[in-house]
């Protein structure tokens, strides 16, 4: 078992989740049940799956939860790009978010390799 609060991947993904919440506050009201909800749920999924996976008794089980977290990261990247295409996110907001999700994805992937 791992102490998830001490994991840098959990800390970074939790911070990223807060950033997603902040950027989606400016989305149009009609997106409240569309991209806003999708982005928020996927961003919450990353640190949540890291935390849940850390409670598993085997590294193999933990690695499975990390795989789910990576899937959520790819989902977020896609949704951010769609949001940008629709004019909900400016280049100034998009680029740092894409860079951050790339870093988080790599961190999770590298940690997953260490578990195997």
């Amino acid at each position: 078992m791992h102490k998830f609060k001490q994991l840098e991947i959990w800390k970074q993904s939790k911070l990223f989740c807060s950033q997603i919440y902040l950027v989606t506050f400016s989305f149009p009201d009609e997106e409240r049940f569309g991209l806003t909800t999708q982005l928020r749920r996927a961003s919450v999924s990353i640190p949540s799956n890291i935390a849940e996976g850390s409670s598993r008794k085997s590294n193999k089980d933990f690695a499975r939860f990390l795989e789910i977290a990576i899937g959520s990261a790819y989902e977020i990247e896609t949704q951010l790009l769609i949001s940008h295409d629709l004019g909900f996110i400016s280049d100034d907001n998009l680029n740092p978010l894409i860079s951050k999700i790339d870093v988080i994805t790599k961190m999770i992937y590298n940690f997953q390799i260490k578990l195997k």
Side-chain angles (χ1 to χ4, degrees):
M1 278 189 11
H2 298 267
K3 295 179 181 180
F4 71 90
K5 291 180 188 173
Q6 294 177 356
L7 296 173
E8 191 62 29
I9 56 173
W10 180 81
K11 292 175 187 176
Q12 292 298 316
S13 60
K14 186 175 79 68
L15 178 62
F16 180 76
C17 180
S18 298
Q19 293 170 330
I20 289 295
Y21 267 76
L22 290 174
V23 81
T24 56
F25 280 129
S26 66
F27 279 27
D29 288 340
E30 60 267 15
E31 283 302 319
R32 187 171 40 161
F33 299 110
L35 282 168
T36 300
T37 301
Q38 288 291 104
L39 275 162
R40 288 177 178 183
R41 289 174 62 107
S43 70
V44 168
S45 175
I46 297 173
S48 297
N49 275 293
I50 293 167
E52 186 173 355
S54 72
S55 73
R56 303 304 170 164
K57 293 180 181 173
S58 75
N59 284 347
K60 183 178 178 181
D61 284 343
F62 192 4
R64 185 173 55 85
F65 280 88
L66 293 176
E67 192 67 36
I68 295 167
I70 289 171
S72 294
Y74 287 147
E75 183 180 348
I76 290 167
E77 185 171 0
T78 299
Q79 293 164 359
L80 287 171
L81 292 168
I82 292 168
S83 298
H84 178 263
D85 290 347
L86 294 171
F88 303 157
I89 297 178
S90 68
D91 288 341
D92 291 341
N93 286 328
L94 176 69
N95 295 331
L97 291 170
I98 294 293
S99 294
K100 186 66 174 177
I101 199 65
D102 285 346
V103 168
I104 290 169
T105 302
K106 288 175 187 167
M107 289 173 68
I108 295 170
Y109 179 74
N110 288 333
F111 187 68
Q112 191 179 32
I113 289 172
K114 288 180 185 178
L115 290 176
K116 293 182 180 180

